[in-house]
C-alpha cells in the first residue's frame, strides 16, 4: 500500500504497539495517523512542530508517543479514545525547557517511562538529553560529540545509552546506579569504526551486540563486553551500494533491516549472533520473491534451519562473523 497525503518529505514513521495504526511525521509540520488495515488516513495533526517533524518513537508498553522538531523540544502525545484516533498532546516541552532544542533522534526505553533525545551540537547545549515521561529534562551528558547526534539507542536491560554522530563516532553512556530520577550518566567508551556519519543504532535484545550503520555504506556489529572494557568490532557488512540511512531490529532479534540512498531495503538474518551453529548471514536484495505476509517473522521461530528458509530468496551472502576473516 502507498499512503499518500503528506505535502512535504516524510521523515519518520512508527507502528503503534496496541492499536492497528501507523503514525507518520513530515517536514510539512504534520503528524498523520493511518489505518494499517484500510490504508486510510484517520486524522491529521497540523503544526505538530512549527519547523517540521524530525523523529517519532512510541513506547512499547505505555503507548505514549514522543515526537521531535527541527527547532522544538520533544512533545508527548497519546491517541484519543474517540473512534477518530486523533493525536492529543499530553504536554508541551517548550514551557518546561526554555532553551531551543533541535531534536534529531529519539529512543524510548522498552519498559521504563523515560526516553532520550539527540540533537545538533551547539556551544550552550549538550548533545544528549534524558527525559522523564512527563517531558521534563532530567539531565544531560557532559562529554559532547564534536558534531550533532544523528542516531540514538537505549539498551533493553542494561543502563546503557548509545549515540551516533556526524563526527563518525559512537559513544556509550552508562546511567548512574543512583537511579533514573537522578538523571546522571557518563560516557565510558568512544567507538571509532565508521568513515562517515553514524545514521542508525540498535542494541540486540539478547546477544551482547550493538548494530550500527553509516553513510560510509557499511553496517558494523560490535561485541559489548561484560564490563566496561573496550568494545570489539565483530565484523562489517558491506554491499549496500549507497549510504545507509536507517536501521531497525526486529524485537525477537532474529532479523534486522537497513535502508539506503539507492532506494533499497535489505533484510538480514542475524541468527548467527545467538545460535551455536554460527550460520552465515543472509541478505535479501531488491525485494523478495514472495510477498511479506503477516506471519512472515513467525517463520523464523518455526524453521529449525533459518538459513534454509532464506536460501530461495537470497541473492547474496554476508560473512560468518564468528569465524576469523583473512
Amino acid at each position: 500500500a502507498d499512503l499518500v497525503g503528506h505535502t512535504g518529505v516524510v521523515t519518520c514513521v512508527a507502528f503503534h504497539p496496541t492499536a492497528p495504526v501507523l503514525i507518520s511525521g513530515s517536514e510539512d509540520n504534520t503528524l498523520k495517523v493511518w489505518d494499517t488495515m484500510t490504508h486510510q488516513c484517520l486524522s491529521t495533526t497540523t503544526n505538530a512542530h512549527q519547523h517540521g517533524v524530525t523523529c517519532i518513537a512510541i513506547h512499547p508498553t505505555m503507548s505514549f508517543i514522543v515526537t521531535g522538531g527541527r527547532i522544538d523540544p520533544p512533545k508527548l502525545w497519546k491517541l484519543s479514545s474517540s473512534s477518530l484516533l486523533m493525536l492529543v498532546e499530553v504536554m508541551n516541552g517548550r514551557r518546561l525547557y526554555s532553551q531551543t532544542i533541535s531534536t534529531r533522534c529519539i529512543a524510548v526505553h522498552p519498559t521504563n517511562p523515560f526516553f532520550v533525545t539527540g540533537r545538533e551540537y551547539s556551544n550552550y547545549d549538550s548533545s544528549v538529553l534524558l527525559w522523564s515521561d512527563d517531558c521534563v529534562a532530567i539531565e544531560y551528558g557532559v562529554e559532547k560529540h564534536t558534531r550533532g547526534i544523528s542516531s540514538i539507542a537505549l539498551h533493553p536491560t542494561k543502563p546503557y545509552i548509545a549515540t551516533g554522530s556526524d563526527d563518525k563516532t559512537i559513544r556509550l553512556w552508562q546511567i548512574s546506579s543512583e537511579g533514573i530520577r537522578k538523571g546522571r550518566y557518563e560516557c565510558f567508551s568512544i567507538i571509532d569504526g565508521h568513515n562517515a556519519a553514524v545514521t542508525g543504532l540498535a542494541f540486540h535484545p539478547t546477544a551482547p551486540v550493538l548494530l550500527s550503520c553509516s553513510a560510509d555504506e557499511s553496517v558494523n556489529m560490535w561485541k559489548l563486553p561484560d564490563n566496561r572494557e573496550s568494545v570489539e568490532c565483530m565484523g562489517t557488512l558491506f554491499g549496500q551500494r549507497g549510504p545507509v540511512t536507517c536501521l531497525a531490529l526486529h524485537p525477537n532479534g532474529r532479523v534486522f533491516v537497513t535502508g539506503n540512498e539507492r532506494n533499497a531495503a535489505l533484510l538480514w538474518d542475524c541468527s548467527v549472533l545467538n545460535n551455536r551453529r554460527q550460520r552465515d548471514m543472509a541478505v535479501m536484495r531488491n525485494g523478495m520473491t514472495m510477498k511479506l505476509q503477516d506471519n512472515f517473522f513467525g517463520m523464523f521461530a518455526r524453521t529449525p534451519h533459518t538459513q534454509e528458509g532464506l536460501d530461495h530468496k537470497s541473492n547474496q551472502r554476508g560473512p560468518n562473523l564468528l569465524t576469523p576473516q583473512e
Side-chain angles (χ1 to χ4, degrees):
D2 291 328
L3 310 182
V4 180
H6 283 292
T7 59
V9 173
V10 179
T11 54
C12 49
V13 292
F15 285 104
H16 197 276
T18 56
V21 298
L22 177 76
I23 304 174
S24 60
S26 169
E27 289 185 355
D28 63 12
N29 305 342
T30 68
L31 290 167
K32 287 183 178 290
V33 180
W34 306 86
D35 189 318
T36 57
M37 305 300 292
T38 65
H39 311 141
Q40 300 299 309
C41 181
L42 299 176
S43 64
T44 299
T45 302
T46 59
N47 294 320
H49 290 276
Q50 294 183 1
H51 301 277
V53 183
T54 56
C55 47
I56 184 171
I58 306 177
H59 198 282
T61 58
M62 301 178 184
S63 298
F64 65 78
I65 302 158
V66 191
T67 60
R70 203 170 294 280
I71 313 180
D72 292 345
K75 293 183 179 182
L76 288 185
W77 310 81
K78 64 179 180 179
L79 286 178
S80 68
S81 56
S82 68
S83 58
L84 296 178
L85 289 178
M86 297 181 64
L87 286 174
V88 179
E89 187 175 345
V90 177
M91 187 165 294
N92 188 339
R94 186 186 304 277
R95 61 187 176 88
L96 296 173
Y97 201 88
S98 59
Q99 292 180 340
T100 299
I101 301 174
S102 60
T103 307
R104 295 184 67 187
C105 48
I106 297 172
V108 295
H109 195 273
T111 55
N112 294 319
F114 66 89
F115 60 96
V116 288
T117 59
R119 307 179 309 287
E120 292 285 359
Y121 178 86
S122 66
N123 292 329
Y124 64 84
D125 204 11
S126 162
S127 291
V128 188
L129 263 178
L130 184 66
W131 302 81
S132 63
D133 60 342
D134 53 4
C135 220
V136 177
I138 302 173
E139 186 63 85
Y140 52 82
V142 295
E143 299 179 58
K144 302 177 182 178
H145 284 279
T146 58
R147 296 185 65 184
I149 289 183
S150 49
S151 54
I152 196 164
L154 274 166
H155 198 284
T157 57
K158 295 184 178 180
Y160 292 165
I161 303 170
T163 55
S165 171
D166 292 337
D167 65 11
K168 309 176 187 179
T169 69
I170 301 168
R171 288 178 182 254
L172 291 179
W173 310 76
Q174 183 167 10
I175 302 172
S176 170
S177 58
E178 296 178 8
I180 183 61
R181 291 294 173 182
K182 297 284 187 178
R184 304 193 182 281
Y185 54 96
E186 62 175 337
C187 177
F188 69 88
S189 181
I190 300 177
I191 305 172
D192 294 302
H194 287 292
N195 297 317
V198 182
T199 54
L201 291 168
F203 285 105
H204 194 276
T206 55
V209 172
L210 173 68
L211 304 174
S212 66
C213 64
S214 170
D216 65 8
E217 306 187 11
S218 71
V219 177
N220 281 358
M221 310 187 76
W222 307 92
K223 184 178 181 181
L224 302 176
D226 293 333
N227 48 34
R228 290 171 38 156
E229 296 176 353
S230 60
V231 178
E232 298 179 2
C233 183
M234 297 172 60
T236 299
L237 310 179
F238 293 100
Q240 296 283 340
R241 297 184 180 178
V244 189
T245 56
C246 52
L247 180 153
L249 180 66
H250 192 270
N252 65 17
R254 289 188 167 93
V255 292
F256 69 94
V257 66
T258 56
N260 60 46
E261 289 188 1
R262 289 296 186 92
N263 307 330
L266 281 69
L267 186 64
W268 300 80
D269 168 22
C270 56
S271 56
V272 65
L273 299 178
N274 53 16
N275 191 293
R276 293 182 180 179
R277 297 189 64 182
Q278 300 182 10
R279 291 185 293 267
D280 291 341
M281 300 287 287
V283 61
M284 286 173 267
R285 181 184 299 281
N286 298 329
M288 297 178 295
T289 57
M290 73 174 190
K291 184 179 179 180
L292 276 174
Q293 301 295 332
D294 293 339
N295 62 350
F296 175 77
F297 289 106
M299 176 187 72
F300 290 89
R302 298 192 306 269
T303 305
H305 306 294
T306 302
Q307 185 62 54
E308 296 175 6
L310 294 174
D311 276 346
H312 69 289
K313 299 186 293 295
S314 176
N315 297 323
Q316 177 183 347
R317 289 236 177 270
N320 184 329
L321 297 182
L322 300 185
T323 300
Q325 304 293 310
E326 295 182 359

